[in-house]
Protein backbone atom coordinates (compact mmCIF):
# COMPACT_ATOMS: atom_id res chain seq x y z
CA UNK A 1 0.00 0.00 0.00
CA UNK A 2 1.43 3.40 -1.03
CA UNK A 3 0.88 5.03 2.39
CA UNK A 4 2.78 2.24 4.15
CA UNK A 5 5.61 2.47 1.60
CA UNK A 6 5.90 6.20 2.28
CA UNK A 7 6.23 5.78 6.05
CA UNK A 8 10.08 5.46 6.14
CA UNK A 9 10.42 8.60 4.03
CA UNK A 10 7.98 10.52 6.26
CA UNK A 11 9.81 9.31 9.37
CA UNK A 12 13.19 10.31 7.94
CA UNK A 13 11.87 13.77 7.08
CA UNK A 14 10.40 13.99 10.62
CA UNK A 15 6.95 14.70 9.21
CA UNK A 16 5.45 12.07 11.53
CA UNK A 17 6.63 10.55 14.80
CA UNK A 18 7.39 6.80 15.24
CA UNK A 19 4.20 6.48 17.37
CA UNK A 20 2.10 7.95 14.55
CA UNK A 21 3.76 5.58 12.07
CA UNK A 22 2.86 2.60 14.29
CA UNK A 23 -0.76 3.75 14.49
CA UNK A 24 -0.96 4.08 10.69
CA UNK A 25 0.50 0.55 10.27
CA UNK A 26 -1.99 -0.89 12.78
CA UNK A 27 -4.89 0.86 11.05
CA UNK A 28 -4.08 -0.49 7.58
CA UNK A 29 -3.25 -3.96 8.90
CA UNK A 30 -6.67 -4.14 10.61
CA UNK A 31 -8.37 -3.01 7.37
CA UNK A 32 -6.54 -5.70 5.42
CA UNK A 33 -7.56 -8.34 7.97
CA UNK A 34 -11.20 -7.25 7.77
CA UNK A 35 -11.13 -7.49 3.97
CA UNK A 36 -9.71 -11.04 4.12
CA UNK A 37 -12.46 -12.05 6.59
CA UNK A 38 -15.17 -10.75 4.26
CA UNK A 39 -13.71 -12.71 1.36
CA UNK A 40 -13.54 -15.84 3.52
CA UNK A 41 -17.22 -15.46 4.44
CA UNK A 42 -18.32 -14.93 0.82
CA UNK A 43 -16.34 -17.87 -0.56
CA UNK A 44 -17.38 -20.06 2.40
CA UNK A 45 -21.05 -19.42 1.68
CA UNK A 46 -20.63 -19.94 -2.06
CA UNK A 47 -18.71 -23.15 -1.42
CA UNK A 48 -21.42 -24.50 0.91
CA UNK A 49 -24.18 -23.74 -1.61
CA UNK A 50 -22.25 -25.33 -4.50
CA UNK A 51 -21.42 -28.44 -2.45
CA UNK A 52 -25.06 -28.81 -1.47
CA UNK A 53 -26.30 -28.42 -5.02
CA UNK A 54 -23.60 -30.79 -6.32
CA UNK A 55 -24.62 -33.54 -3.88
CA UNK A 56 -28.25 -33.15 -4.93
CA UNK A 57 -27.31 -33.49 -8.61
CA UNK A 58 -25.15 -36.58 -8.00
CA UNK A 59 -27.94 -38.27 -6.05
CA UNK A 60 -30.54 -37.27 -8.64
CA UNK A 61 -28.46 -38.75 -11.48
CA UNK A 62 -28.45 -42.24 -9.91
CA UNK A 63 -31.81 -41.96 -8.19
CA UNK A 64 -33.78 -44.58 -10.13
CA UNK A 65 -31.17 -47.29 -9.48
CA UNK A 66 -31.47 -47.08 -5.68
CA UNK A 67 -33.77 -49.15 -3.47
CA UNK A 68 -36.34 -47.36 -1.35
CA UNK A 69 -34.22 -47.82 1.81
CA UNK A 70 -31.15 -46.32 0.14
CA UNK A 71 -33.26 -43.46 -1.18
CA UNK A 72 -34.51 -42.67 2.33
CA UNK A 73 -30.93 -42.73 3.64
CA UNK A 74 -29.80 -40.34 0.90
CA UNK A 75 -32.83 -38.12 1.53
CA UNK A 76 -31.82 -37.59 5.15
CA UNK A 77 -28.03 -37.66 4.69
CA UNK A 78 -27.61 -33.98 3.62
CA UNK A 79 -29.94 -32.97 6.44
CA UNK A 80 -27.85 -34.86 8.99
CA UNK A 81 -24.59 -33.46 7.58
CA UNK A 82 -25.98 -29.93 7.70
CA UNK A 83 -27.06 -30.32 11.32
CA UNK A 84 -23.65 -31.71 12.30
CA UNK A 85 -21.92 -28.76 10.60
CA UNK A 86 -24.23 -26.26 12.31
CA UNK A 87 -23.64 -27.95 15.67
CA UNK A 88 -19.87 -27.79 15.10
CA UNK A 89 -20.16 -24.10 14.19
CA UNK A 90 -22.13 -23.31 17.33
CA UNK A 91 -19.93 -25.27 19.72
CA UNK A 92 -16.42 -25.07 18.24
CA UNK A 93 -16.57 -21.93 16.08
CA UNK A 94 -19.02 -19.61 17.86
CA UNK A 95 -17.16 -16.46 16.76
CA UNK A 96 -16.65 -17.47 13.13
CA UNK A 97 -19.19 -15.78 10.84
CA UNK A 98 -17.90 -17.77 7.88
CA UNK A 99 -18.52 -21.12 9.59
CA UNK A 100 -21.99 -20.16 10.81
CA UNK A 101 -23.19 -18.67 7.52
CA UNK A 102 -21.74 -21.44 5.34
CA UNK A 103 -23.06 -24.34 7.45
CA UNK A 104 -26.51 -22.75 7.77
CA UNK A 105 -26.72 -22.08 4.03
CA UNK A 106 -25.89 -25.77 3.43
CA UNK A 107 -28.57 -26.88 5.91
CA UNK A 108 -31.10 -24.52 4.30
CA UNK A 109 -30.78 -26.33 0.97
CA UNK A 110 -30.54 -29.73 2.67
CA UNK A 111 -33.97 -29.15 4.25
CA UNK A 112 -35.49 -28.37 0.84
CA UNK A 113 -33.83 -31.41 -0.74
CA UNK A 114 -35.00 -33.75 2.04
CA UNK A 115 -38.61 -32.56 1.82
CA UNK A 116 -38.75 -33.05 -1.93
CA UNK A 117 -36.99 -36.46 -1.85
CA UNK A 118 -39.20 -37.89 0.91
CA UNK A 119 -42.29 -36.60 -0.91
CA UNK A 120 -41.12 -38.30 -4.09
CA UNK A 121 -40.20 -41.61 -2.40
CA UNK A 122 -43.56 -41.99 -0.61
CA UNK A 123 -45.66 -40.21 -3.29
CA UNK A 124 -46.91 -37.62 -0.82
CA UNK A 125 -49.39 -35.34 -2.64
CA UNK A 126 -48.80 -31.60 -2.75
CA UNK A 127 -47.93 -28.65 -4.97
CA UNK A 128 -45.11 -26.15 -5.29
CA UNK A 129 -46.82 -23.64 -2.97
CA UNK A 130 -47.16 -26.10 -0.09
CA UNK A 131 -43.57 -27.29 -0.66
CA UNK A 132 -42.19 -23.73 -0.50
CA UNK A 133 -44.26 -22.88 2.55
CA UNK A 134 -43.13 -26.01 4.44
CA UNK A 135 -39.50 -25.43 3.45
CA UNK A 136 -39.47 -21.78 4.53
CA UNK A 137 -41.28 -22.38 7.84
CA UNK A 138 -38.87 -25.19 8.73
CA UNK A 139 -35.87 -22.95 7.96
CA UNK A 140 -37.10 -19.83 9.77
CA UNK A 141 -35.76 -21.01 13.20
CA UNK A 142 -32.29 -21.34 11.62
CA UNK A 143 -32.22 -17.54 11.20
CA UNK A 144 -32.44 -17.08 14.97
CA UNK A 145 -30.67 -20.19 16.30
CA UNK A 146 -27.64 -19.60 14.05
CA UNK A 147 -28.11 -15.80 13.75
CA UNK A 148 -27.59 -16.34 10.04
CA UNK A 149 -28.12 -13.41 7.69
CA UNK A 150 -27.61 -15.52 4.57
CA UNK A 151 -30.46 -17.77 5.64
CA UNK A 152 -32.56 -14.69 6.32
CA UNK A 153 -31.93 -13.46 2.76
CA UNK A 154 -32.67 -16.90 1.28
CA UNK A 155 -35.83 -17.07 3.40
CA UNK A 156 -37.09 -13.70 2.10
CA UNK A 157 -36.41 -14.79 -1.49
CA UNK A 158 -38.24 -18.06 -0.78
CA UNK A 159 -41.37 -16.46 0.70
CA UNK A 160 -41.45 -13.92 -2.14
CA UNK A 161 -41.41 -16.79 -4.64
CA UNK A 162 -44.13 -18.47 -2.56
CA UNK A 163 -46.29 -15.31 -2.77
CA UNK A 164 -45.81 -15.15 -6.56
CA UNK A 165 -46.54 -18.86 -7.05
CA UNK A 166 -49.66 -18.75 -4.87
CA UNK A 167 -51.18 -15.43 -5.87
CA UNK A 168 -49.85 -14.60 -9.35
CA UNK A 169 -49.04 -17.74 -11.31
CA UNK A 170 -51.66 -20.10 -9.81
CA UNK A 171 -54.37 -17.48 -9.20
CA UNK A 172 -57.40 -17.91 -9.00
CA UNK A 173 -57.00 -21.64 -8.28
CA UNK A 174 -54.88 -20.78 -5.23
CA UNK A 175 -54.77 -17.74 -2.99
CA UNK A 176 -53.01 -17.11 0.30
CA UNK A 177 -52.10 -14.30 2.70
CA UNK A 178 -49.53 -16.43 4.53
CA UNK A 179 -46.74 -14.37 2.97
CA UNK A 180 -47.45 -11.46 5.33
CA UNK A 181 -47.20 -13.60 8.47
CA UNK A 182 -44.06 -15.28 7.17
CA UNK A 183 -42.58 -11.88 6.33
CA UNK A 184 -43.31 -10.67 9.87
CA UNK A 185 -41.41 -13.72 11.14
CA UNK A 186 -38.07 -12.44 9.83
CA UNK A 187 -38.47 -8.80 10.94
CA UNK A 188 -36.83 -9.36 14.38
CA UNK A 189 -33.63 -10.47 12.64
CA UNK A 190 -33.68 -7.32 10.50
CA UNK A 191 -34.02 -5.26 13.68
CA UNK A 192 -31.18 -7.26 15.24
CA UNK A 193 -28.93 -6.41 12.28
CA UNK A 194 -29.91 -2.75 12.52
CA UNK A 195 -28.94 -2.72 16.20
CA UNK A 196 -25.77 -4.82 16.09
CA UNK A 197 -24.35 -4.48 12.57
CA UNK A 198 -25.82 -1.33 10.97
CA UNK A 199 -22.87 -0.83 8.59
CA UNK A 200 -22.39 -4.47 7.55
CA UNK A 201 -22.81 -5.76 4.01
CA UNK A 202 -25.58 -8.08 5.24
CA UNK A 203 -27.53 -5.02 6.47
CA UNK A 204 -27.13 -3.34 3.07
CA UNK A 205 -28.37 -6.49 1.30
CA UNK A 206 -31.36 -6.69 3.65
CA UNK A 207 -32.08 -3.02 3.01
CA UNK A 208 -32.45 -3.82 -0.67
CA UNK A 209 -34.20 -7.16 -0.56
CA UNK A 210 -36.81 -6.19 2.06
CA UNK A 211 -38.47 -3.39 0.04
CA UNK A 212 -38.15 -5.30 -3.24
CA UNK A 213 -39.97 -8.26 -1.67
CA UNK A 214 -42.74 -5.95 -0.42
CA UNK A 215 -43.12 -4.29 -3.83
CA UNK A 216 -43.54 -7.70 -5.49
CA UNK A 217 -45.89 -9.08 -2.83
CA UNK A 218 -48.17 -6.06 -2.47
CA UNK A 219 -49.73 -6.85 -5.86
CA UNK A 220 -51.05 -10.13 -4.43
CA UNK A 221 -53.66 -8.08 -2.55
CA UNK A 222 -55.34 -7.00 -5.82
CA UNK A 223 -58.67 -8.63 -6.58
CA UNK A 224 -61.64 -6.97 -8.29
CA UNK A 225 -60.95 -3.26 -7.66
CA UNK A 226 -57.32 -3.27 -8.69
CA UNK A 227 -57.48 0.45 -9.60
CA UNK A 228 -57.12 1.17 -5.87
CA UNK A 229 -53.74 -0.55 -5.93
CA UNK A 230 -52.29 2.58 -7.52
CA UNK A 231 -53.04 4.41 -4.25
CA UNK A 232 -51.57 1.51 -2.26
CA UNK A 233 -48.39 1.44 -4.35
CA UNK A 234 -48.02 5.23 -4.38
CA UNK A 235 -48.33 5.27 -0.58
CA UNK A 236 -45.89 2.34 -0.28
CA UNK A 237 -43.30 4.28 -2.30
CA UNK A 238 -44.06 7.29 -0.10
CA UNK A 239 -43.34 5.14 2.97
CA UNK A 240 -40.07 3.96 1.42
CA UNK A 241 -38.95 7.49 0.55
CA UNK A 242 -39.79 8.80 4.02
CA UNK A 243 -38.01 5.85 5.68
CA UNK A 244 -35.02 6.74 3.49
CA UNK A 245 -35.09 10.24 5.00
CA UNK A 246 -34.81 8.94 8.57
CA UNK A 247 -31.69 9.50 10.67
CA UNK A 248 -29.95 6.17 9.92
CA UNK A 249 -30.56 6.17 6.16
CA UNK A 250 -29.71 9.87 5.70
CA UNK A 251 -26.13 9.02 6.69
CA UNK A 252 -25.86 6.28 4.06
CA UNK A 253 -24.46 6.65 0.55
CA UNK A 254 -27.09 6.82 -2.19
CA UNK A 255 -26.39 3.25 -3.35
CA UNK A 256 -26.95 2.00 0.21
CA UNK A 257 -30.12 4.05 0.79
CA UNK A 258 -32.35 1.57 -1.02
CA UNK A 259 -35.58 2.87 0.50
CA UNK A 260 -35.04 6.36 -0.86
CA UNK A 261 -33.91 5.13 -4.28
CA UNK A 262 -36.84 2.70 -4.65
CA UNK A 263 -39.33 5.24 -3.25
CA UNK A 264 -38.22 7.88 -5.72
CA UNK A 265 -37.98 5.56 -8.75
CA UNK A 266 -41.26 3.76 -7.95
CA UNK A 267 -43.18 7.02 -7.55
CA UNK A 268 -41.82 8.34 -10.81
CA UNK A 269 -42.62 5.15 -12.76
CA UNK A 270 -46.20 5.14 -11.45
CA UNK A 271 -46.68 8.80 -12.37
CA UNK A 272 -45.35 8.20 -15.88
CA UNK A 273 -47.72 5.24 -16.33
CA UNK A 274 -50.63 7.38 -15.12
CA UNK A 275 -49.63 10.28 -17.36
CA UNK A 276 -51.47 8.44 -20.16
CA UNK A 277 -55.22 8.96 -20.36
CA UNK A 278 -56.12 5.24 -20.74
CA UNK A 279 -56.15 4.47 -17.02
CA UNK A 280 -58.31 7.49 -16.17
CA UNK A 281 -60.86 6.65 -18.91
CA UNK A 282 -61.20 3.15 -17.47
CA UNK A 283 -61.53 4.53 -13.94
CA UNK A 284 -64.37 6.86 -14.95
CA UNK A 285 -66.15 4.06 -16.81
CA UNK A 286 -66.01 1.68 -13.81
CA UNK A 287 -68.54 3.61 -11.70
CA UNK A 288 -67.29 1.97 -8.50
CA UNK A 289 -69.88 1.85 -5.71
CA UNK A 290 -68.97 2.92 -2.19
CA UNK A 291 -69.94 -0.47 -0.70
CA UNK A 292 -67.80 -2.22 -3.29
CA UNK A 293 -64.80 -0.03 -2.45
CA UNK A 294 -65.09 -0.31 1.33
CA UNK A 295 -65.28 -4.12 1.26
CA UNK A 296 -62.32 -4.52 -1.12
CA UNK A 297 -58.95 -5.73 0.25
CA UNK A 298 -57.27 -3.14 -1.98
CA UNK A 299 -59.05 -0.43 0.01
CA UNK A 300 -57.66 -1.70 3.33
CA UNK A 301 -54.15 -1.96 1.86
CA UNK A 302 -54.43 1.60 0.57
CA UNK A 303 -55.71 2.95 3.91
CA UNK A 304 -53.03 1.19 5.99
CA UNK A 305 -50.18 2.30 3.73
CA UNK A 306 -51.50 5.85 3.36
CA UNK A 307 -51.79 6.21 7.15
CA UNK A 308 -48.27 4.81 7.56
CA UNK A 309 -46.92 7.27 4.98
CA UNK A 310 -48.80 10.16 6.59
CA UNK A 311 -47.40 9.23 10.01
CA UNK A 312 -43.84 9.12 8.68
CA UNK A 313 -44.40 12.42 6.87
CA UNK A 314 -45.52 14.01 10.15
CA UNK A 315 -42.47 12.66 12.02
CA UNK A 316 -40.04 13.87 9.33
CA UNK A 317 -41.80 17.22 9.07
CA UNK A 318 -41.58 17.80 12.82
CA UNK A 319 -37.86 17.06 12.69
CA UNK A 320 -37.52 19.54 9.79
CA UNK A 321 -36.17 16.93 7.40
CA UNK A 322 -38.67 17.65 4.63
CA UNK A 323 -37.99 20.56 2.29
CA UNK A 324 -40.20 22.07 -0.40
CA UNK A 325 -37.85 20.81 -3.13
CA UNK A 326 -38.39 17.15 -2.15
CA UNK A 327 -41.77 16.39 -3.76
CA UNK A 328 -41.32 12.60 -3.46
CA UNK A 329 -41.96 13.01 0.28
CA UNK A 330 -45.54 14.25 -0.15
CA UNK A 331 -46.63 13.35 -3.69
CA UNK A 332 -48.64 10.40 -2.35
CA UNK A 333 -51.05 12.83 -0.64
CA UNK A 334 -51.54 14.85 -3.83
CA UNK A 335 -52.11 11.62 -5.72
CA UNK A 336 -54.94 10.49 -3.42
CA UNK A 337 -56.76 13.76 -4.12
CA UNK A 338 -56.02 13.44 -7.85
CA UNK A 339 -57.30 9.86 -7.88
CA UNK A 340 -60.63 10.95 -6.37
CA UNK A 341 -60.90 13.80 -8.89
CA UNK A 342 -59.94 11.43 -11.74
CA UNK A 343 -62.92 9.18 -10.92
CA UNK A 344 -65.32 11.87 -12.12
CA UNK A 345 -63.40 14.51 -14.08
CA UNK A 346 -61.10 14.11 -17.09
CA UNK A 347 -58.36 16.60 -16.18
CA UNK A 348 -56.64 14.33 -13.62
CA UNK A 349 -54.24 13.30 -16.37
CA UNK A 350 -53.23 16.95 -16.79
CA UNK A 351 -52.48 17.18 -13.07
CA UNK A 352 -50.30 14.04 -13.23
CA UNK A 353 -48.30 15.51 -16.12
CA UNK A 354 -47.88 18.73 -14.15
CA UNK A 355 -46.65 16.74 -11.13
CA UNK A 356 -43.98 15.00 -13.21
CA UNK A 357 -42.88 18.28 -14.79
CA UNK A 358 -42.72 19.99 -11.39
CA UNK A 359 -40.75 17.10 -9.88
CA UNK A 360 -38.28 17.32 -12.77
CA UNK A 361 -37.83 21.10 -12.40
CA UNK A 362 -37.48 20.93 -8.60
CA UNK A 363 -34.92 18.12 -8.91
CA UNK A 364 -32.88 20.15 -11.42
CA UNK A 365 -33.00 23.17 -9.11
CA UNK A 366 -31.92 21.00 -6.17
CA UNK A 367 -29.01 19.59 -8.20
CA UNK A 368 -27.93 23.10 -9.25
CA UNK A 369 -28.15 24.37 -5.68
CA UNK A 370 -26.02 21.50 -4.35
CA UNK A 371 -23.64 21.48 -7.37
CA UNK A 372 -24.49 17.79 -7.70
CA UNK A 373 -24.31 16.49 -11.28
CA UNK A 374 -26.13 13.25 -10.42
CA UNK A 375 -29.20 15.02 -8.99
CA UNK A 376 -29.21 17.55 -11.82
CA UNK A 377 -29.10 14.86 -14.52
CA UNK A 378 -31.79 12.86 -12.66
CA UNK A 379 -34.09 15.89 -12.98
CA UNK A 380 -33.28 16.16 -16.67
CA UNK A 381 -33.99 12.44 -17.12
CA UNK A 382 -37.42 12.90 -15.48
CA UNK A 383 -38.33 15.63 -17.98
CA UNK A 384 -36.91 13.55 -20.84
CA UNK A 385 -39.06 10.58 -19.78
CA UNK A 386 -42.13 12.82 -19.75
CA UNK A 387 -41.31 14.14 -23.22
CA UNK A 388 -40.86 10.56 -24.51
CA UNK A 389 -44.25 9.56 -23.04
CA UNK A 390 -45.96 12.49 -24.70
CA UNK A 391 -44.19 11.62 -27.97
CA UNK A 392 -46.41 8.54 -28.27
CA UNK A 393 -49.85 9.90 -27.38
CA UNK A 394 -50.11 13.46 -28.69
CA UNK A 395 -51.06 14.88 -32.04
CA UNK A 396 -47.97 17.05 -32.26
CA UNK A 397 -46.27 17.18 -35.64
CA UNK A 398 -42.94 15.43 -36.10
CA UNK A 399 -41.27 18.83 -36.45
CA UNK A 400 -42.59 19.91 -33.06
CA UNK A 401 -41.58 16.58 -31.48
CA UNK A 402 -38.13 16.96 -32.98
CA UNK A 403 -37.82 20.48 -31.55
CA UNK A 404 -38.81 19.15 -28.12
CA UNK A 405 -36.10 16.48 -28.19
CA UNK A 406 -33.50 18.96 -29.45
CA UNK A 407 -34.48 21.34 -26.62
CA UNK A 408 -34.12 18.65 -23.96
CA UNK A 409 -30.80 17.47 -25.42
CA UNK A 410 -29.50 21.04 -25.53
CA UNK A 411 -30.65 21.42 -21.92
CA UNK A 412 -28.51 18.40 -20.95
CA UNK A 413 -25.41 19.90 -22.58
CA UNK A 414 -25.99 23.44 -21.31
CA UNK A 415 -26.68 22.54 -17.66
CA UNK A 416 -23.80 20.05 -17.42
CA UNK A 417 -21.42 22.54 -19.06
CA UNK A 418 -22.58 25.27 -16.68
CA UNK A 419 -22.19 22.99 -13.66
CA UNK A 420 -18.69 21.82 -14.61
CA UNK A 421 -17.59 25.39 -15.39
CA UNK A 422 -18.90 26.62 -12.04
CA UNK A 423 -17.13 23.80 -10.21
CA UNK A 424 -13.87 24.68 -11.97
CA UNK A 425 -14.27 28.34 -11.02
CA UNK A 426 -14.87 27.46 -7.36
CA UNK A 427 -11.77 25.25 -7.31
Amino acid sequence: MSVLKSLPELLQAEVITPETADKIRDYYNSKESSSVNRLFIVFGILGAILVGLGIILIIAHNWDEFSRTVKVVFAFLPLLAGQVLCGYSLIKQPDSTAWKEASTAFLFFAVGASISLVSQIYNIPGNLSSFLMTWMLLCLPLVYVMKSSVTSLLYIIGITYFACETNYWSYPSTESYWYWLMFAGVLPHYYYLYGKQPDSNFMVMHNWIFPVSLIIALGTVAKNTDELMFIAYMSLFGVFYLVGMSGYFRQQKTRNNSFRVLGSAGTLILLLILSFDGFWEDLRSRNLLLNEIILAPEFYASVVLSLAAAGLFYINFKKERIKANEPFAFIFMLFIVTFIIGGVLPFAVVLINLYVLTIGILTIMDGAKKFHLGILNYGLLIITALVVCRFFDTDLSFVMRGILFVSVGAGFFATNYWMLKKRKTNE
Side-chain angles (χ1 to χ4, degrees), residues 168 180 213-222 229 232-233 236 301 305:
Y168 289 139
W180 302 102
S213 177
L214 284 175
I215 291 169
I216 294 170
L218 180 60
T220 62
V221 177
M229 290 306 297
Y233 266 109
L236 177 70
L305 289 169

Side-chain angles (χ1 to χ4, degrees), residues 256-384:
N256 292 344
N257 194 344
S258 55
F259 284 93
R260 195 162 183 170
V261 171
L262 290 171
S264 166
T267 301
L268 187 62
I269 290 168
L270 276 188
L271 288 175
L272 288 172
I273 291 170
L274 295 169
S275 70
F276 293 89
D277 200 31
F279 168 79
W280 301 103
E281 285 179 359
D282 291 340
L283 182 64
R284 289 194 295 276
S285 65
R286 279 293 305 272
N287 291 322
L288 293 170
L289 300 173
L290 186 59
N291 289 340
E292 186 184 356
I293 292 174
I294 291 176
L295 294 175
E298 298 93 328
F299 173 74
Y300 295 111
S302 302
V303 169
V304 169
L305 289 169
S306 299
L307 288 175
L312 286 169
F313 178 84
Y314 177 73
I315 293 169
N316 280 295
F317 182 76
K318 278 203 78 176
K319 294 184 177 178
E320 298 182 349
R321 292 173 182 157
I322 296 175
K323 298 173 185 171
N325 60 356
E326 291 187 282
F328 291 111
F330 52 83
I331 196 71
F332 70 94
M333 289 188 276
L334 293 176
F335 178 72
I336 293 171
V337 177
T338 309
F339 186 89
I340 295 168
I341 294 171
V344 288
L345 297 173
F347 68 88
V349 66
V350 178
L351 291 175
I352 295 293
N353 278 273
L354 285 174
Y355 294 158
V356 178
L357 183 63
T358 306
I359 289 171
I361 292 170
L362 288 175
T363 308
I364 291 170
M365 289 171 65
D366 189 36
K369 188 178 176 184
K370 295 177 179 172
F371 293 106
H372 195 298
L373 269 176
I375 298 174
L376 186 136
N377 283 311
Y378 183 45
L380 288 167
L381 276 175
I382 292 171
I383 292 180
T384 305

Side-chain angles (χ1 to χ4, degrees), residues 34-223:
S34 172
S35 174
V36 171
N37 284 336
R38 280 201 295 272
L39 279 175
F40 184 55
I41 292 169
V42 170
F43 287 118
I45 293 165
L46 281 175
I49 292 173
L50 289 173
V51 168
L53 292 175
I55 290 171
I56 292 170
L57 284 174
I58 292 167
I59 294 172
H61 180 69
N62 300 290
W63 192 248
D64 292 335
E65 298 172 12
F66 298 143
S67 66
R68 175 173 282 193
T69 307
V70 175
K71 287 179 180 178
V72 172
V73 171
F74 275 124
F76 284 99
L77 198 58
L79 193 63
L80 185 64
Q83 288 176 328
V84 169
L85 287 171
C86 285
Y88 177 79
S89 303
L90 278 178
I91 297 167
K92 297 291 184 183
Q93 303 283 346
D95 298 324
S96 172
T97 305
W99 263 101
K100 280 199 293 186
E101 296 293 357
S103 59
T104 315
F106 179 85
L107 184 55
F108 178 89
F109 288 104
V111 171
S114 295
I115 296 170
S116 58
L117 289 174
V118 170
S119 302
Q120 193 262 347
I121 293 166
Y122 293 102
N123 295 319
I124 299 171
N127 54 30
L128 183 56
S129 298
S130 61
F131 165 68
L132 286 169
M133 186 175 172
T134 308
W135 183 8
M136 293 305 117
L137 287 177
L138 285 173
C139 288
L140 179 58
L142 289 176
V143 175
Y144 297 101
V145 174
M146 300 298 294
K147 293 181 181 173
S148 169
S149 295
V150 168
T151 310
S152 170
L153 293 168
L154 291 170
Y155 174 83
I156 297 168
I157 294 169
I159 62 172
T160 308
Y161 187 66
F162 163 77
C164 294
E165 172 64 27
T166 308
N167 294 284
Y168 289 139
W169 302 323
S170 303
Y171 182 82
S173 61
T174 60
E175 182 184 2
S176 171
Y177 290 110
W178 274 101
Y179 164 84
W180 302 102
L181 282 175
M182 294 161 77
F183 183 82
V186 79
L187 286 176
H189 181 74
Y190 188 39
Y191 185 73
Y192 165 81
L193 276 180
Y194 170 72
K196 299 290 184 183
Q197 304 167 26
D199 299 320
S200 67
N201 291 327
F202 284 129
M203 183 65 188
V204 173
M205 285 190 273
H206 276 78
N207 286 341
W208 276 101
I209 205 163
F210 253 82
V212 169
S213 177
L214 284 175
I215 291 169
I216 294 170
L218 180 60
T220 62
V221 177
K223 295 294 177 292

Side-chain angles (χ1 to χ4, degrees), residues 383-400:
I383 292 180
T384 305
L386 183 63
V387 170
V388 170
C389 288
R390 297 292 67 78
F391 180 87
F392 292 105
D393 74 336
T394 60
D395 297 327
L396 292 174
S397 67
F398 277 97
V399 174
M400 186 56 71

